[in-house]
Structures are given as structure tokens and as C-alpha cells.
Amino acid sequence: VFTGLNNLEELELSYNKIAFLKSGVFNGLISLESLSLSFNPITKIDPDVFKTMNKLKEIDLKGIESSIATLIVDDIRTIAPN
């Protein structure tokens, strides 16, 4: 989906009716530092969705159901430097 956008630093996806984050959907966003997923009805997230986004510093999860937001944060922590 995001092929050729390897220099993109910010991505705004709020209010897009995204219900599912499939593994690999963010592949190619190697420079992304800020991502907004706020106010999407996300109900499912594959493991390792964020595995290629090791520069991610900020994610907006406002309006996301708390159990899904926790899964997202936990997935991001797996890529965060120790």
C-alpha cells in the first residue's frame, strides 16, 4: 500500500473506518516517525504490524477501544530500542 514512500515521516489515518491492521500494511514506511490512527473502529490487529517502523516516535490512538490500543502499544514496544 505504501510502496515508494520510504521517506514519509508523518501519516494521518484518523477517521478512515479502518477496522483491521494486517501484517505488512506499513511495510516500506521505514522513516515514519508519527502515525495517527485515532477514531478508527479497529477490532483486529495482526502481530508484527509495526515491525519495520523502528523510527516511530509518536502514535495517536484517541478514540480507539482500550484493549486494541493496548495491543498496538505492545506491538510497538517489540521494535523499540532497549
Side-chain angles (χ1 to χ4, degrees), residues 7 11 30 33 35 39 52-53 57 61 67:
N7 292 321
L11 183 59
I30 58 173
E33 295 180 2
L35 173 64
F39 301 102
T52 62
M53 301 170 68
K57 296 177 184 173
L61 300 173
S67 63

Side-chain angles (χ1 to χ4, degrees), residues 5-68:
L5 298 175
N6 56 333
N7 292 321
L8 188 70
E9 294 180 358
E10 294 181 29
L11 183 59
E12 171 62 59
L13 295 174
S14 298
Y15 297 97
N16 275 293
K17 299 182 183 178
I18 298 167
F20 176 48
L21 293 177
K22 185 177 180 181
S23 191
V25 70
F26 296 120
N27 284 359
L29 297 178
I30 58 173
S31 298
L32 198 70
E33 295 180 2
S34 178
L35 173 64
S36 179
L37 294 169
S38 62
F39 301 102
N40 280 293
I42 299 169
T43 57
K44 184 176 178 190
I45 175 174
D46 277 348
D48 300 326
V49 168
F50 303 97
K51 72 179 179 181
T52 62
M53 301 170 68
N54 55 0
K55 291 191 177 182
L56 192 63
K57 296 177 184 173
E58 179 181 338
I59 186 163
D60 185 353
L61 300 173
K62 283 188 225 82
I64 303 289
E65 196 234 311
S66 63
S67 63
I68 296 297

